[in-house]
Amino acid sequence: MAKAAQSLFACSECGYSSGRWFGRCPGCGEFGTLVEEAAPATGRATAPSRPLLRLVDVDVEEAERIPTGVPELDRVLGGGLVPASLVLVGGEPGVGKSTLLLMALRAMSTERRVLLVTGEESSAQVSLRAARLGGAAAVEVLAETELETVCATLERERPEVCVIDSVQTLYAAELGSAPGSVAQVREAAARLLRVAKESGIAIFLVGHVTKDGAVAGPRVLEHLVDCVLQFEGDRYRAHRILRAAKNRFGSTNEIGVFEMTGAGLVGVPDPSELFGHSEAGEVGAAVACTLEGTRPILLEIQALVAPTDLAMPRRVATGVDPKRLAMIVAVLARHARLALGSADVFVNVAGGVRIDEPGADLAIALAIASAARGVAVKEGLAAFGELGLTGRLRPATQAERRLEECVKLGFGSVLAPKGTPSRPTLAVAEAETVREAVRSGLEAAGSDDR
Ligand SMILES: Nc1ncnc2c1ncn2[C@@H]1O[C@H](COP(=O)(O)OP(=O)(O)OP(=O)(O)O)[C@@H](O)[C@H]1O
Ligand SMILES: [Mg+2]
């Protein structure tokens, strides 16, 4: 018995769908995000079966990666672009997604056929940007938003690499909902995935992000693609950070650092040079030696401890997980006898970088201790090490690499957990507990350490 055409209500934030409307999405708890869509046709077709293949018989000649010509992008992708893969690049408006991808296309166009599908800007606007960046003459452009046309063109032209800017502008007429809606975005990604795999085209999808920074549209998009890259940055500063949130072909810890200039994005191969310097004698600043993927980075951490009348003092962090900060403050209060109970604590990481690695704990603690005591951290000192809840320092991973970076940047001494190997040109001050570390890391500390 044929059912009447039904409509479906799907959440534009998380992709939850239901047969009836809710004011608040049961999936993600957002209000007013459920929108009506036509239910997909559920006709059952019989399909022929296909023969199976053993893994040893699979052809692997296509596994060679394509260098994108932007070293920082290659690093985040895990050593280049995998042919026939689908990469989603998300980022806030104006962060530089189109610029980054146009630069990659420009570099790749010298050796292979590349196509830019633009739904957001006209060909003339793209050409203006290309003129500003220079040398993108061989990049082919298609200004189109009709999904069917884009797929058909890709199948006929078969460029090696294609950029879709953006997936939210693509529109499949038969779906009936507006461009950018859950169903449209999902359909566009699924169709492009098929084209990518069947025609061997590596596709970059540009995606907009929601107010909380997730790629807009359903999360299902993130499951579909091979790689999700997030392009972050402070709009008011020139530095941009590219990181992988998901990568089927590489690590998700790598970051790429760029600087936005008039001539486009310039890779910053040595971010420690930029973010790892603190003013000598400045109270509340410490240098952390953290690890992002395989790359050690020195970052200046700044802290401010200010008296407050609030019953619940504030702990505000930019670039550090607030829970981690709360833990570090608690460990300092309990084990290093810092009176932080009636003070607001603010922590900031240089350059808008976000630290996820526990190896930076010690430097954060040092910066806070320095701010609380009003005593500067010793000159030319970098620190790394994980803080345990018992106040004991745990060894950080890959200590050798971190020490090497400190030597490279001209640091004279390093404060590290016990057991860290020493180096000839670098004084390694070992500390067993956070209290010991605070005492030996601060200038003239100890006078206050009762
Ligand atoms: N002449 C210029 N000099 C310096 N920076 C510029 C110049 N022109 C553009 N920019 C930078 O490029 C950014 C825009 O880059 P781009 O268009 O690639 O961003 P986008 O992420 O694609 O944005 P959208 O989401 O709106 O498409 C601007 O925010 C600005 O910082
Ligand atoms: Mg753009």
Side-chain angles (χ1 to χ4, degrees):
M1 192 172 68
K3 271 195 200 165
Q6 269 186 347
S7 56
L8 201 68
F9 295 89
C11 172
S12 56
E13 293 287 325
C14 70
Y16 176 89
S17 66
S18 151
R20 59 183 270 245
W21 188 82
F22 293 98
R24 182 180 189 205
C25 171
C28 64
E30 285 287 319
F31 286 92
T33 53
L34 261 70
V35 283
E36 185 171 0
E37 282 169 1
T42 50
R44 216 179 267 176
T46 49
S49 65
R50 285 184 50 185
L52 304 178
L53 210 62
R54 284 193 313 167
L55 274 180
V56 291
D57 305 325
V58 177
D59 227 354
V60 286
E61 35 116 4
E62 54 179 281
E64 193 83 358
R65 288 181 187 246
I66 305 171
T68 61
V70 180
E72 297 288 304
L73 177 60
D74 281 347
R75 176 203 296 278
V76 177
L77 285 171
L81 184 61
V82 173
S85 65
L86 202 57
V87 179
L88 179 65
V89 181
E92 292 198 359
V95 74
K97 303 177 291 291
S98 308
T99 310
L100 173 71
L101 294 176
L102 184 58
M103 287 178 64
L105 286 186
R106 175 185 71 177
M108 286 186 281
S109 67
T110 53
E111 286 192 10
R112 42 198 108 231
R113 209 160 159 219
V114 298
L115 173 68
L116 171 64
V117 178
T118 166
E120 278 182 357
E121 298 164 46
S122 66
S123 309
Q125 285 166 327
V126 173
S127 124
L128 267 181
R129 180 183 291 117
R132 177 158 62 86
L133 302 180
V139 176
E140 288 170 272
V141 183
L142 173 71
E144 181 59 64
T145 54
E146 170 68 50
L147 179 60
E148 202 53 56
T149 316
V150 171
C151 290
T153 313
L154 282 178
E155 274 164 355
R156 199 190 62 218
E157 302 289 337
R158 297 198 174 216
E160 264 186 82
V161 183
C162 168
V163 169
I164 311 275
D165 192 0
S166 66
V167 66
Q168 271 94 358
T169 55
L170 289 185
Y171 176 75
E174 72 268 17
L175 284 188
S177 49
S181 67
V182 182
Q184 291 282 6
V185 170
R186 197 161 36 194
E187 177 70 10
R191 291 270 279 283
L192 287 167
L193 179 74
R194 212 151 50 223
V195 173
K197 304 290 170 196
E198 279 168 10
S199 309
I201 308 170
I203 301 183
F204 282 104
L205 295 177
V206 174
H208 294 278
V209 297
T210 60
K211 54 187 184 300
D212 346 304
V215 177
R219 283 208 73 106
V220 83
L221 202 59
E222 296 190 8
H223 289 296
L224 272 180
V225 300
D226 296 308
C227 210
V228 180
L229 305 185
Q230 268 157 5
F231 205 27
E232 306 166 350
D234 206 325
R235 196 152 354 144
Y236 306 103
R237 269 180 274 174
H239 296 115
R240 307 281 193 269
I241 310 254
L242 184 70
R243 61 173 81 231
K246 159 182 173 177
N247 192 350
R248 284 188 181 144
F249 316 111
S251 150
T252 52
N253 297 325
E254 299 287 354
I255 66 167
V257 183
F258 297 90
E259 189 174 352
M260 178 64 94
T261 68
L265 289 158
V266 182
V268 179
D270 206 350
S272 299
E273 199 63 74
L274 209 60
F275 306 136
H277 289 288
S278 64
E279 284 291 317
E282 199 168 47
V283 170
V287 176
C289 190
T290 74
L291 216 61
E292 290 284 351
T294 55
R295 169 151 80 168
I297 298 187
L298 292 173
L299 292 171
E300 189 195 9
I301 315 258
Q302 293 187 340
L304 173 70
V305 174
T308 180
D309 293 330
L310 292 178
M312 293 256 296
R314 277 178 292 189
R315 276 80 180 90
V316 183
T318 314
V320 179
D321 177 22
K323 283 191 203 138
R324 196 92 204 156
L325 175 64
M327 186 211 92
I328 294 171
V329 168
V331 170
L332 277 173
R334 181 71 184 79
H335 297 289
R337 303 205 190 148
L338 282 185
L340 298 168
S342 56
D344 287 335
V345 178
F346 300 89
V347 171
N348 195 2
V349 179
V353 184
R354 203 179 68 215
I355 303 182
D356 294 324
E357 199 237 353
D361 288 356
L362 183 56
I364 300 171
L366 262 188
I368 297 173
S370 159
R373 297 233 165 111
V375 184
V377 172
K378 282 185 182 158
E379 203 184 326
L381 180 86
F384 64 84
E386 184 180 341
L387 234 61
L389 290 181
T390 58
R392 186 172 294 280
L393 296 181
R394 292 207 202 116
T397 52
Q398 310 196 34
E400 284 287 347
R401 278 227 171 106
R402 298 180 202 245
L403 293 174
E404 220 166 85
E405 185 75 1
C406 295
V407 172
K408 209 170 88 194
L409 268 273
F411 279 82
S413 52
V414 165
L415 186 60
K418 216 174 169 135
T420 304
S422 63
R423 292 216 144 210
T425 53
L426 192 70
V428 179
E430 290 180 288
E432 203 164 342
T433 64
V434 62
R435 190 169 173 197
E436 246 178 79
V438 168
R439 196 182 302 146
S440 71
L442 300 188
E443 297 273 8
S447 59
D448 215 355
D449 191 11
R450 288 175 296 273

